[in-house]
Amino acid sequence: MKVQIEKLQNGMRKIYKKQDFGLVVIFFIIFVCLSLLSNRFATLKNIFTILNQSPFITIMAIGMTLVIATGGIDLSVGAIMSITGIIAGDLIIGGVNVYLAIAIALAAGFIIGLINGLIITMLKITDFIVTLSTMTIIQGILRVHTAGLSIFGLDSPDFIWLGQGKIFDISIPFIISMIVLVIFLIVTYKTAFGKYVISIGSNQEAARLVGINIAKTKTIVYALCGLLSALSSILITAKVSTAMPNLGDDYAMNVIAAAVIGGASLSGGKARIFGAFIGSLMMTMIRNGLNVMLVDSSWHQVVIGIIILVAVGFDVFNNARQKMVKHTSN
Amino acid sequence: MKKILELRGINKSFGGVSVLNNVDLDLYAGEILGLIGENGAGKSTLMKIIVGAIQKYSGTVTLNREKLQSSLAGRYLQDQIGLVLQELSVFLDLTVTQNIFINQEIKTKFNILKQREMNIRAKEILKEGLGVDIDPNRQALELSLGQRQSLEIARVLCNKKRVIIMDEPTAALEDNERECLFKSIQKIKESGTSVIFISHHLEEILRICDRVMILKDGYSMGEFRRNDIDKMAMIKLMIGKTVKNFYPKEKVAIGDSILKVVNLRKKSYFKNINFDLKCGEVLGLAGLEGCGKNEILRCIFGAHKYDEGKIVVKSNSMKKQAVTEAMGHGIAFLPAERKTEGIFPLQDVSWNMIIANMVKKNHFFVKGKKEEAGVNEYINSLSIKVANNNQLISHISGGNQQKIMLARWLMTGTDIFLFEEPTRGIDVNAKTEVYLLIGELVKSGKGVCIVSSDLPELLGICDRILIISEGEIMYELNPKEITEHELTDYITKSKELIK
């Protein structure tokens, strides 16, 4: 029994590394604060609501964490989200088999990410500029194609189940986000690919000199980020059974924020997948808490901005402190 | 002579670990004081106390007969004492003048820069203070490493300082640039400013310093006049034991050729490069900075592309000019700039060690336990000093980092080792250890090729030295038959020969 517990503890430690501990603490502090502020917050029903609202951002924040780990950034995730939702919507309304439509939409997300990656690595243009451009281009295409109109009535039961279905009160999107989390924990920490991603962000020149294929690795990372954005898009489109051309407009910043709260360093070399999950949960929880307290939604942005500063500030402080301790023990 | 700086009974500890114990230091006006000690002996902590970067310590610092309260000292010391750091902090995009006057610009009342005045001043400082002639309008990017080093010193000189501290200023410099620097330091000395000169090169210390102070494990081993001490005595005090042989080299039977370079050419870098490397051989490439020696090594490893020629490893010729191909043929490359090209600074020891093997074996999943075991094996067999496998690599000393780089490639089963400046920035003791390891490599039948600007090192450990000048091999020398002086002659002469 004792051995088993130890094994479990070791396993847990591997998943959320020591650095994530501070984050979990902040998470619970905020949780307790919100519970004290409103008696409608810490109800079982509301907790399930938070869990069921979180997966869309979690899935994308995981992809973003990988991109940031290479030292890059992807501003086009929101636009990829919008266009893949519209693609799925168009196809389903046009009578295409639901699963085929989903596969095509996912492939589209993957391919847009791939294009981002190829332009960045082959033409050596800065990631910021490339993804900003693809974002703008996609938004333009969407405006031309949809004239700003949403696609309603995506009421195929198979499709809707993906967004609205539940198993024991836990929504399908949340379950899918957990599957994605587990897969990417393995990809990041247990495969050579994950090590390459982080190595590139840590020191690109050193990575090149040990034979890591930088162009290939980076391109795959952007493609995965696009794929995950498409997945998130399909789940949310199914949830509201409407494909919206402006669906992802606010998402890029929120996703980057979730990854950064989770401990991603914008200079690269760190990948905290579990942190991204907690970061996403935190963002969702704060929004929900403010909603429950009937705070005007315009104030949400202000609060979230402050939370990002506090979380990142805490992280910087914590790292500095650890560094001090290590240096002196040398 | 007037005493300018006096430290008495300096004690400093970090979190219970004492770094400096009762250290005294005297510095007289217009003298050059050498400061030596192994990595971790407390040199940098002592310097940080002198410049006021560390303010909590016990003991007294007296500058120019004024006793300084440690809490107030910081600002005052910074005005009086200039620090030239080991890592160059030159802004490559800025001009010479802008670099020198950064954050200390000469301005009018309305904060407008007096460009012309600064240009004139910059030229003056460089010419009169350091004896170098650099156009103040040039961009720092166009300057050689030595010239950039001069900028760094000029920045400190442009406000009159009483003391200038130089932390390993020669680490990245070639021989001729080093000479220039020594001349500059003499000039500074003549102007009445004192210099504290930190270096791992004991020959340099003996050449330019008036006195030398030795630190070991946080204790001062005393201050000595140059004439009262020699290299052996310094080493004994530094590492606590006598080293009979800095360049340990055993006789190894030299076997067949394992690497053959045929007619290699890269436009505007090198041409007609032909040589082969044999099993059990240490081959040295020597030449001035920019002669193409580093580029040749990088092309063999596939890190840079060449235009023409052939590289043959054990009768298989390489075609793709890619790092992975070279690795597949059993070639390893250890770059000179460990910090920027070698280590993964945010990762730990074992990550840094296993990464190349992972790329070479192309496993999909990380082989956790097996790889950890390999890491432990190498930590033991190369006696790498680390707290544990999960220690961040940026927290360990240069010598141990270099050993980890070596282990990284040993793991992959490499036959050919290409070293760029294998002992840059590491202390005497660690240097000898690296040479011993290179000896082990060739003993086990591997071939080693070294590019180095450290001439005694080349003479000490190589079996053959190729002199390269302007991208061509000019001479092949047997190190047993020549002295260091002759080697320098060959290197400089070959350049004139081409002209």
Side-chain angles (χ1 to χ4, degrees), chain A residues 186 189-192 195-196 198-199 202-203 205-212 268-269 323 326-328 330, chain B residues 14 301 303 323-324 327 339-347 351 355 358-359 363-366 391 395 408-409:
Chain A
I186 294 170
Y189 302 122
K190 292 287 167 201
T191 69
K195 296 236 170 195
Y196 300 164
I198 298 168
S199 295
S202 181
N203 187 345
E205 199 46 36
R208 205 170 69 83
L209 289 178
V210 295
I212 294 174
K323 234 182 196 167
K326 274 195 181 137
H327 263 299
T328 50
N330 245 349
Chain B
F14 288 115
F301 188 60
V323 172
T324 39
M327 283 167 69
K339 266 202 184 130
T340 53
E341 298 184 321
I343 62 167
F344 295 99
L346 303 170
Q347 275 61 46
W351 180 304
I355 188 83
M358 233 154 57
V359 177
H363 294 309
F364 186 77
F365 284 107
V366 176
Q391 193 178 12
H395 291 161
R408 174 191 284 178
W409 292 109

Side-chain angles (χ1 to χ4, degrees), chain A residues 97-264:
Chain A
N97 173 295
V98 169
Y99 293 102
L100 183 63
I102 291 170
I104 292 173
L106 290 176
F110 186 82
I111 288 167
I112 298 171
L114 199 68
I115 293 171
N116 274 338
L118 287 173
I119 296 176
I120 290 164
T121 54
M122 297 294 150
L123 302 182
K124 307 222 174 349
I125 306 176
T126 322
D127 38 38
F128 191 93
I129 304 295
V130 172
T131 54
L132 185 70
S133 310
T134 34
M135 176 186 98
T136 317
I137 294 168
I138 293 170
Q139 283 173 343
I141 292 173
L142 278 172
R143 208 161 293 169
V144 173
H145 178 69
T146 65
L149 300 174
S150 298
I151 303 168
F152 296 100
L154 302 172
D155 43 14
S156 147
D158 284 355
F159 188 63
I160 287 175
W161 179 80
L162 274 179
Q164 300 171 2
K166 277 183 182 164
I167 297 176
F168 301 124
D169 261 3
I170 300 174
S171 71
I172 298 296
F174 185 77
I175 292 170
I176 292 179
S177 78
M178 287 302 100
I179 295 171
V180 169
L181 177 66
V182 170
I183 291 174
F184 277 84
L185 280 170
I186 294 170
V187 167
T188 311
Y189 302 122
K190 292 287 167 201
T191 69
F193 172 77
K195 296 236 170 195
Y196 300 164
V197 168
I198 298 168
S199 295
I200 289 173
S202 181
N203 187 345
Q204 181 155 326
E205 199 46 36
R208 205 170 69 83
L209 289 178
V210 295
I212 294 174
N213 189 334
I214 291 168
K216 183 175 144 195
T217 312
K218 271 191 171 179
T219 307
I220 295 174
V221 166
Y222 280 96
L224 286 176
C225 188
L227 175 70
L228 290 177
S229 305
L231 176 61
S232 174
S233 166
I234 284 163
L235 296 177
I236 206 165
T237 303
K239 188 179 175 185
V240 295
S241 65
T242 308
M244 295 171 287
N246 61 350
L247 172 68
D249 280 3
D250 289 339
Y251 264 81
M253 283 308 142
N254 284 331
V255 166
I256 293 170
V260 169
I261 291 176

Side-chain angles (χ1 to χ4, degrees), chain B residues 247-263:
Chain B
Y247 303 108
K249 184 159 175 63
E250 286 181 57
K251 241 192 143 64
V252 176
I254 289 174
D256 299 334
S257 151
I258 41 172
L259 173 75
K260 207 175 174 65
V261 177
V262 187
N263 277 330

Side-chain angles (χ1 to χ4, degrees), chain B residues 45-296:
Chain B
T45 311
L46 189 62
M47 291 307 111
K48 279 182 190 158
I49 286 174
I50 294 178
V51 298
I54 292 177
Q55 306 195 347
K56 281 185 192 154
Y57 55 88
S58 68
T60 57
V61 177
T62 314
L63 182 70
N64 211 21
R65 299 211 200 94
E66 280 178 78
K67 200 176 224 175
L68 301 172
Q69 294 297 315
S70 57
S71 56
L72 300 171
R75 237 307 134 66
Y76 180 65
L77 286 170
Q78 277 164 18
D79 290 343
Q80 302 285 317
I81 297 176
L83 180 64
V84 179
L85 286 170
Q86 186 177 353
E87 271 108 46
L88 294 180
S89 54
V90 170
F91 298 91
L92 296 180
D93 296 331
L94 301 185
T95 66
V96 170
T97 308
Q98 285 167 337
N99 261 298
I100 293 176
F101 286 97
I102 195 129
N103 204 26
Q104 48 192 11
E105 294 87 352
I106 305 176
K107 295 176 212 162
T108 66
K109 257 188 293 182
F110 305 105
N111 266 339
I112 293 174
L113 298 177
K114 293 183 171 172
Q115 199 60 48
R116 187 173 302 165
E117 196 180 324
M118 284 195 282
N119 273 346
I120 295 167
R121 275 284 290 147
K123 204 168 168 95
E124 216 173 84
I125 294 165
L126 287 167
K127 186 92 196 178
E128 265 137 52
L130 297 172
V132 292
D133 208 356
I134 307 174
D135 176 5
N137 286 317
R138 276 176 77 183
Q139 214 185 330
L141 192 69
E142 303 164 11
L143 305 180
S144 72
L145 275 178
Q147 288 173 319
R148 287 179 201 170
Q149 181 73 265
S150 306
L151 283 198
E152 197 99 349
I153 301 170
R155 190 185 289 165
V156 172
L157 277 183
C158 87
N159 288 319
K160 186 78 182 143
K161 309 270 182 191
R162 288 174 190 279
V163 180
I164 291 179
I165 299 171
M166 298 187 187
D167 192 355
E168 285 199 53
T170 56
L173 299 187
E174 299 277 328
D175 265 2
N176 51 341
E177 293 172 332
R178 202 170 295 163
E179 293 305 317
C180 272
L181 178 70
F182 291 163
K183 278 190 200 126
S184 303
I185 293 176
Q186 285 298 341
K187 279 226 160 194
I188 295 171
K189 177 187 164 176
E190 281 158 23
S191 74
T193 305
S194 314
V195 177
I196 298 179
F197 184 88
I198 304 174
S199 176
H200 284 313
H201 290 273
L202 303 180
E203 292 87 358
E204 289 175 11
I205 298 274
L206 285 171
R207 243 192 80 188
I208 69 159
C209 296
D210 300 305
R211 290 188 309 127
V212 52
M213 174 181 173
I214 301 167
L215 276 181
K216 174 174 169 20
D217 301 334
Y219 290 91
S220 167
M221 307 304 283
E223 291 171 25
F224 303 88
R225 285 218 305 269
R226 173 173 45 188
N227 298 334
D228 300 343
I229 197 162
D230 64 3
K231 193 174 163 190
M232 289 301 165
M234 286 200 286
I235 290 170
K236 190 169 180 201
L237 288 169
M238 258 170 74
I239 64 180
K241 62 180 181 198
T242 41
V243 176
K244 288 197 194 74
N245 190 358
F246 298 108
Y247 303 108
K249 184 159 175 63
E250 286 181 57
K251 241 192 143 64
V252 176
I254 289 174
D256 299 334
S257 151
I258 41 172
L259 173 75
K260 207 175 174 65
V261 177
V262 187
N263 277 330
L264 211 62
R265 188 178 74 88
K266 180 177 169 114
K267 207 179 156 226
S268 72
Y269 283 96
F270 54 76
K271 59 186 176 209
N272 293 333
I273 300 295
N274 287 291
F275 66 86
D276 53 359
L277 176 69
K278 301 180 185 77
C279 291
E281 183 184 42
V282 181
L283 175 69
L285 301 184
L288 298 170
E289 198 201 333
C291 70
K293 54 183 179 173
N294 300 56
E295 200 60 29
I296 294 171

Side-chain angles (χ1 to χ4, degrees), chain A residues 46-65:
Chain A
N46 193 46
I47 289 171
F48 272 106
T49 311
I50 295 171
L51 289 184
N52 292 339
Q53 280 170 350
S54 68
F56 313 106
I57 225 170
T58 303
I59 290 171
M60 288 164 79
I62 288 169
M64 186 63 78
T65 299

